[in-house]
């Protein structure tokens, strides 16, 4: 009888895990109002550190991801014509020289509760990984609801990290019974209406509230950074909405924010931080603030 030898099973290569921390809301009423987010992977070591309580939290990783993202302010002007407004769900896609954002629903206007009404301008926040220079947009709606037809006047997109504000003129119907019947359009920027400025950079701002009675605040906290030669940033609120104001700046708390601001250079000579008062618990006892300028190369 022949004896056969059995080979040891060959070890299969183990596919790597990819870790995508988020630690942010996907809700119309929270954060920037988006219900879809793009996440970029982080090194497994960071996640292990978090599980070992080694000082690196997933929340911080979420902020690091945000620092690598580009924030766009999207303004949309509905025309001042009869039946120009729409109740349909509007979406937009931004196309850059490197990539695109994918379809982003424009659900939470920062200006109007009832969005896309006749003659009104609505404002939205769109976050994306770096897609490069903006080349075109696609905007449209799903044709659902009672009044679906929409006359779009223009779209304006401000990209602080690129130092550009671009205007995308339209002046046409997105309506199955008007114009050419299209309910989505590809629009290109008007070169003569493009504004160029010095690109913003992300700053990591960590705020420590003191551990004494009544130290916390529900007020709107803002900050201004000052560099050399009189350079300073705009005054920027650290919270996006009133709910965040109630959540943050509690007694003995540490709150971290990624804020895109004008680049004041390598040296921050001073800051101005305060709040706008109002409300039941506006008084605030601030312990200290730590600020880090986050450069594109990760330094």
């Amino acid at each position: 009888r022949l004896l056969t030898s059995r080979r040891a099973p060959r070890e299969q290569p183990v596919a790597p895990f990819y870790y995508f921390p988020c630690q942010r809301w996907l809700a119309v009423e929270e954060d920037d109002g988006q219900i879809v987010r793009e996440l970029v992977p982080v090194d497994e070591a960071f996640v292990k550190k978090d599980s070992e309580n080694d000082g690196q939290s997933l929340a911080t990783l979420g902020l690091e991801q945000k620092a690598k993202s580009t924030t766009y302010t999207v303004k949309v002007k509905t025309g001042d014509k009869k039946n120009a407004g729409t109740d349909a769900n509007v979406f937009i896609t931004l196309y850059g020289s490197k990539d695109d954002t994918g379809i982003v629903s424009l659900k939470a206007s920062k200006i109007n509760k009832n969005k896309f009404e006749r003659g009104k301008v609505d404002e939205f926040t769109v976050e994306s990984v770096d897609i490069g220079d903006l080349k075109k947009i696609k905007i449209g709606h799903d044709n659902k609801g009672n009044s679906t037809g929409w006359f779009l006047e223009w779209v304006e997109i401000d990209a602080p990290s690129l130092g550009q504000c671009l205007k995308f003129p339209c002046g046409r119907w997105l309506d199955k019974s008007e114009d050419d019947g299209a309910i989505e359009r590809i629009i290109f920027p008007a070169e003569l209406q493009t504004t160029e400025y010095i690109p913003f950079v992300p700053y990591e701002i960590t705020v420590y509230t003191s551990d004494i009675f009544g130290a916390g605040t529900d007020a709107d906290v803002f900050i201004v950074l000052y560099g050399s030669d009189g350079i300073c940033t705009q005054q920027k609120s650290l919270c996006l909405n009133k709910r965040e104001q109630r959540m943050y700046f509690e007694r003995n708390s540490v709150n971290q924010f990624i804020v895109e601001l004008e680049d004041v250079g390598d040296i921050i000579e001073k800051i101005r931080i305060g709040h706008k008062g109002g409300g039941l618990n506006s008084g605030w006892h601030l312990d200290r603030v730590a600020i880090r300028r986050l450069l594109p190369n990760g330094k």
Side-chain angles (χ1 to χ4, degrees):
R1 190 174 59 179
L2 292 174
L3 295 175
T4 58
S5 60
R6 204 178 271 181
R7 286 186 180 180
R10 183 180 296 175
E11 289 188 7
Q12 296 294 322
V14 178
F17 279 99
Y18 291 85
Y19 296 91
F20 297 85
C22 183
Q23 296 294 310
R24 296 182 65 187
W25 286 97
L26 284 78
V28 174
E29 301 84 6
E30 306 290 351
D31 201 336
D32 58 4
Q34 292 299 330
I35 58 172
V36 178
R37 298 202 178 281
E38 288 189 349
L39 303 178
V40 294
V42 300
D43 193 280
E44 180 184 5
F46 289 122
V47 180
K48 286 186 175 179
K49 282 183 181 180
D50 179 69
S51 64
E52 295 164 4
N53 296 316
D54 200 15
Q56 176 67 54
S57 69
L58 282 175
T60 302
L61 286 169
L63 289 168
E64 291 290 347
Q65 285 186 320
K66 187 174 180 180
K68 295 175 183 177
S69 300
T70 300
T71 302
Y72 302 93
T73 297
V74 178
K75 292 184 178 180
V76 180
K77 172 68 183 296
T78 299
D80 191 10
K81 292 176 176 286
K82 184 179 179 181
N83 299 323
T86 185
D87 295 329
N89 297 303
V90 174
F91 59 84
I92 191 170
T93 303
L94 279 55
Y95 294 89
S97 55
K98 299 178 182 177
D99 203 350
D100 64 75
T101 61
I103 296 173
V104 178
S105 295
L106 300 180
K107 287 188 173 292
S109 173
K110 291 186 172 182
I111 301 175
N112 305 304
K113 187 175 181 180
N114 294 322
K115 54 191 181 295
F116 309 122
E117 294 292 307
R118 174 179 175 174
K120 300 289 186 181
V121 176
D122 291 286
E123 183 178 317
F124 306 87
T125 299
V126 173
E127 266 185 28
S128 172
V129 296
D130 182 17
I131 63 171
D133 294 331
L134 266 176
K135 297 298 184 182
K136 63 182 180 180
I137 63 171
K138 180 165 69 175
I139 189 166
H141 62 79
D142 61 3
N143 205 45
K144 293 181 180 178
N146 295 323
S147 302
T148 57
W150 185 33
F151 190 89
L152 172 62
E153 196 70 58
W154 49 257
V155 177
E156 182 183 274
I157 299 179
D158 189 12
S161 65
L162 300 176
Q164 283 189 329
C165 184
L166 299 96
K167 198 72 164 282
F168 295 79
C170 181
R172 296 183 68 179
W173 286 97
L174 284 76
D175 189 337
K176 286 194 171 182
S177 60
E178 298 281 354
D179 203 334
D180 60 358
I183 58 171
E184 63 178 45
R185 298 197 181 280
I186 292 176
I187 315 174
F188 295 87
E191 289 187 16
L192 294 179
Q193 292 179 280
T194 297
T195 304
E196 304 271 353
Y197 57 91
I198 298 174
F200 284 24
V201 298
Y203 288 89
E204 178 190 272
I205 300 174
T206 308
V207 180
Y208 299 80
T209 298
S210 304
D211 186 15
I212 64 173
F213 179 76
T217 184
D218 292 336
D220 184 4
V221 173
F222 61 82
I223 195 167
V224 182
L225 311 185
Y226 293 84
S228 57
D229 300 323
I231 299 173
C232 69
T233 69
Q234 62 181 287
Q235 180 173 299
K236 181 75 171 181
S237 292
L238 295 179
C239 292
L240 294 171
N241 51 48
K242 289 185 178 180
R243 188 181 187 284
E244 286 194 359
Q245 292 173 28
R246 293 192 297 269
M247 287 172 55
Y248 299 141
F249 312 118
E250 296 294 306
R251 173 180 174 175
N252 194 31
S253 66
V254 180
N255 301 118
Q256 203 167 55
F257 307 88
I258 300 295
V259 182
E260 283 183 325
L261 291 168
E262 296 91 340
D263 190 353
V264 299
D266 294 329
I267 299 173
I268 301 174
E269 293 198 342
K270 66 177 182 179
I271 67 171
R272 184 161 63 92
I273 188 167
H275 62 78
K276 299 177 182 178
L280 297 175
N281 304 299
S282 61
W284 184 35
H285 196 287
L286 173 63
D287 184 71
R288 66 190 188 276
V289 179
I291 299 177
R292 183 164 64 113
R293 179 168 170 257
L294 302 173
L295 299 178
N297 58 8
K299 290 184 180 179

